[in-house]
Amino acid sequence: MSEEQTRSVLLLALGATAVWLWRSGEALNYVRPGLAPLVLAAGVVLLALGLLPPLGLLGARAAGPAGGHRHRARVGWLLLVPVLVVLVVQPAALGSYAASSRSVVPGGGDGDFPPLAAPVRGAVPMPMAEFVTRAVRDPGRSLAAVRVRLTGFVAPAESGDGGWRLTRFVIFCCAADAEALQAAVVHGDPAPRARDQWLEVEGTWQPRPAAVDDPNPQPPVLDADAVRPIAPPRPPYEYSMQFTG
């Protein structure tokens, strides 16, 4: 196979992978929903470049003697490695092993927080980002005595913390800039929980003793009174941490 044909096949493989990621929904493991159409568009462009003249297979010239090109063609096939990883391994969304190095507590909180949403089936449903921000940054303590409902996956607690941490990633563009938001579940759930198991948890915020102007506060504590296993949500991430006024 000539160097031109190798290039065309690689473009076709990369383009087909991008289209498959969009069609299957797996692209949401890597980018926010607004960027998924761009994954499709990139795939279509790569397919066109790999198939249509002048660069594609339909316009490729017959291969002549090209001993000097064979080595470059063989090296080019290495570009198929990430394609094979995606198709065979199918990397999942970020999980507990990534959370330990990306755990954060949102900043801000100097302004007024908007009113809480109305309870649904006895608890206020809210994103993890809202719970963490209100619990740590709201001087008005709007979560006090409020029963909330959160969704996330299980990550191990830090040494000496006890329990486990309900975790959800928030991304701004793609998985590369993801940050983990966590709530420590140390009471109310005696059942053993598997790492990366997705759960819906209802409970109330337990205030920690606050250190003055602590730049790196610990994740807030949630006293759980109902824990239910759920299927992994689609999309798996949250996309905003902005809840203050």
Side-chain angles (χ1 to χ4, degrees):
M1 183 178 289
S2 70
E3 184 179 3
E4 290 77 9
Q5 290 172 321
T6 299
R7 181 174 60 241
S8 297
V9 170
L10 291 173
L11 288 172
L12 287 172
L14 292 171
T17 301
V19 172
W20 175 81
L21 286 171
W22 171 81
R23 180 69 178 83
S24 65
E26 294 296 314
L28 297 181
N29 288 343
Y30 316 112
V31 299
R32 62 186 299 138
L35 297 180
L38 298 181
V39 175
L40 172 63
V44 171
V45 170
L46 289 171
L47 287 174
L49 290 174
L51 187 62
L52 300 177
L55 299 178
L57 290 178
L58 297 182
R61 295 170 296 177
H69 296 311
R70 289 198 185 102
H71 177 69
R72 290 198 298 271
R74 286 195 297 269
V75 172
W77 286 108
L78 293 176
L79 292 175
L80 284 181
V81 171
V83 173
L84 293 175
V85 169
V86 169
L87 295 180
V88 177
V89 180
Q90 295 186 20
L94 294 173
S96 61
Y97 289 99
S100 60
S101 61
R102 304 193 189 194
S103 179
V104 300
V105 172
D110 295 330
D112 294 330
F113 281 70
L116 289 169
V120 177
R121 303 190 311 277
V124 178
M126 64 176 57
M128 182 68 72
E130 180 177 5
F131 175 78
V132 174
T133 307
R134 287 182 184 273
V136 177
R137 303 296 185 188
D138 182 11
R141 299 166 66 91
S142 57
L143 288 180
V146 175
R147 190 166 183 264
V148 301
R149 182 181 300 113
L150 305 175
T151 297
F153 60 84
V154 175
E158 290 187 355
S159 178
D161 229 9
W164 44 272
R165 289 187 174 184
L166 188 68
T167 306
R168 194 80 184 264
F169 276 99
V170 58
I171 69 174
F172 304 92
C173 172
C174 59
D177 60 30
E179 295 180 335
L181 302 170
Q182 298 184 311
V185 181
V186 296
H187 304 293
D189 183 43
R193 299 294 174 184
R195 180 191 285 264
D196 292 312
Q197 180 184 19
W198 280 89
L199 301 171
E200 183 182 79
V201 182
E202 296 176 0
T204 53
W205 168 56
Q206 176 186 322
R208 292 181 184 266
V212 178
D213 297 327
D214 186 355
N216 298 300
Q218 291 295 307
V221 175
L222 180 69
D223 279 341
D225 57 53
V227 181
R228 290 180 289 273
I230 60 172
R234 301 297 294 173
Y237 306 121
E238 294 181 5
Y239 301 100
S240 174
M241 289 199 296
Q242 192 65 36
F243 290 97
T244 60

